[in-house]
Amino acid sequence: MTSIFRKIYIGHLAASVSVLVIMSLIFIFAIRSSISHWNRDENAEIEKMLLPLISKVYRLRGGLDSNALESALLPYTTDSMYIYVFDVNKRPVLLMNKGRRVTTDAVEQQVGSLSTFLSLNTPAQIKDSSKIVGYLSVNSADFLTYRANRQFIASMRKTVLAGAVTAIVIALAISAFISSIFSKQTSSLVNEITALGNGSRTVTFTHLDTTEFDRIATTEEKLQNQLLKEESLRRQWMQDVSHDLRTPVTAVKVQLEAINDGVLPATTERFASLLGEISHIERLVNNLHDLSRYESPEMQITPVKIYPQAFISDTKERFELLANQKNINFSCSCGFSTPFAADEFLLQRCVSNVMQNAIQYTTPGSCINIAMTCTDENDSDRTITIEVMNTGELSEEDIIHVFDRLYRGDKSRTSGGSGLGLSIAKAIMNLHRGTITASNKDGMACFTIVFPFIPASDGTSI
């Protein structure tokens, strides 16, 4: 595997070299463009100088006389210039190359057909007043023909080469420096994460002056705190499960041993008591299994069409008798009638768990109210709310921990519950993308269930 130092180093170096190559290409293009402009301007100046001379010969001789033209132009020619003079029909009148007169065949051997040459290199018009009397094609020495220009280009090449070498050396140094900084920061972060993965829970994460690394460090700190909390909850959970299982198991074991030894009689009442203890163990194990299943990422709900009025009526029927037995004033209400989609079995279990908790901790003569409402149908984030309120108030500790696994407000743990009912209710709400919260409202303990309203026709999309 390639280290981060090498990757960053190569990346910086590649970027630097790429920029250097691009700048060099731009520089070369600029030099060539400048030379091309220089050549065009030089030719334009020569044409501007020679055209009056040719026009003068035309006026003096009454036409383009080749001998007269040669005499007039010869002083202005150089050994790196060609001058071609054509008549008005673009037939050659005078062809001079490097200060010497040449034939048409000699020129065509170098440049090809003269007609093609003229079509590719537009000649300048020779005029007498406003009358076109011929054409002139001239080309001076190339920019690099002059020694001074060649020395200038050579100096520029040496300068560019020296600059390129210097830039590469600096790029190497800067890349190494930056890469080493990132490598050290990454190594430090990797060591801290490795320590966390190896079981250490006292890792101090270094916050670096880099946004992404700081976000990683902050996230790892949160993860460490979450792991500490989860491990603490797991230990407490194991202790609570052990306690809840040990007590009935011990009771069953002691009674069975006593019956076996003849100390206790094997009566029907005795076996009924043993059956009750075993039933408690069974409920605890089943609830633990259900909670584990509901919290599993693979768990999927089965939404069906639910009529709110029927849902509340069913809830009332199931708990009304139990409430009457405890002399609890029990009332239910529903504020809407539009059917919605949800997993009816799980939703009923969620509400039932909250109701069982309310009945368990409500004293005789008190009251329990269930209210089911829905936000306005024009609301884009329409939600359904189910409030279960019972007489009495929750302590601050209860509000914080009431949904924790195996938490009971009854510290003596003699209430008979498993301590998992509200944890299961919370897991069910998570499956419905909803929430369940506990609070005190109007002098009563209030459990509020909120989940999105899904039209019944769209139930399968939950």
Side-chain angles (χ1 to χ4, degrees), residues 223-425:
L223 175 60
Q224 179 171 255
N225 293 333
Q226 184 65 28
L227 287 173
L228 287 169
K229 181 180 179 181
E230 290 294 334
E231 289 172 358
S232 175
L233 287 174
R234 184 186 63 191
R235 287 191 295 270
Q236 184 62 43
W237 190 17
M238 293 305 298
Q239 292 173 4
D240 292 341
V241 170
S242 299
H243 179 278
D244 280 20
L245 288 175
R246 187 184 299 112
T247 300
V249 168
T250 301
V252 172
K253 180 182 178 182
V254 168
Q255 293 187 63
L256 287 175
E257 287 177 347
I259 292 173
N260 185 58
D261 294 339
V263 176
L264 293 176
T267 62
T268 303
E269 292 79 7
R270 186 74 58 189
F271 283 113
S273 174
L274 292 174
L275 182 60
E277 295 292 349
I278 293 175
S279 297
H280 175 75
I281 296 173
E282 183 182 27
R283 285 195 302 272
L284 178 60
V285 172
N286 288 338
N287 282 337
L288 286 171
H289 176 266
D290 289 343
L291 178 60
S292 176
R293 186 161 57 92
Y294 295 158
E295 291 182 337
S296 171
E298 292 79 20
M299 178 64 185
Q300 298 291 329
I301 64 175
T302 305
V304 296
K305 189 174 185 179
I306 299 176
Y307 291 92
Q309 297 283 357
F311 181 85
I312 287 296
S313 297
D314 182 53
T315 302
K316 184 176 181 180
E317 288 177 5
R318 286 189 292 111
F319 288 98
E320 192 169 30
L321 178 60
L322 183 60
N324 291 336
Q325 289 175 350
K326 292 193 65 174
N327 192 27
I328 295 173
N329 183 16
F330 180 44
S331 63
C332 298
S333 63
C334 183
F336 70 108
S337 58
T338 307
F340 61 93
D343 191 310
E344 187 171 17
F345 171 77
L346 292 181
L347 189 59
Q348 280 285 10
R349 182 164 188 184
C350 175
V351 176
S352 295
N353 286 1
V354 176
M355 271 298 304
Q356 288 170 356
N357 181 80
I359 290 176
Q360 182 176 334
Y361 291 100
T362 301
T363 59
S366 301
C367 64
I368 296 177
N369 302 322
I370 297 181
M372 187 174 187
T373 58
C374 184
T375 54
D376 189 86
E377 61 182 6
N378 296 323
D379 189 349
S380 58
D381 297 322
R382 198 175 184 189
T383 58
I384 297 173
T385 301
I386 302 175
E387 281 190 339
V388 180
M389 301 177 64
N390 61 277
T391 304
E393 291 191 346
L394 298 169
S395 67
E396 292 183 5
E397 183 180 5
D398 287 342
I399 292 175
I400 296 173
H401 299 289
V402 72
F403 297 105
D404 293 347
R405 300 180 184 93
L406 299 171
Y407 176 81
R408 295 184 194 171
D410 177 14
K411 302 303 180 183
S412 64
R413 310 178 74 83
T414 59
S415 58
S418 66
L420 294 173
L422 294 181
S423 299
I424 292 174

Side-chain angles (χ1 to χ4, degrees), residues 12 77 91 104 127 175-176 215 232 240 266 321 335 353 358 367 371 433 435 440 447:
H12 273 281
T77 61
R91 292 191 295 265
T104 301
K127 293 183 178 182
S175 297
R215 289 176 62 186
S232 175
D240 292 341
L321 178 60
N353 286 1
C367 64
R433 302 200 308 271
T435 61
N440 292 313
F447 287 85

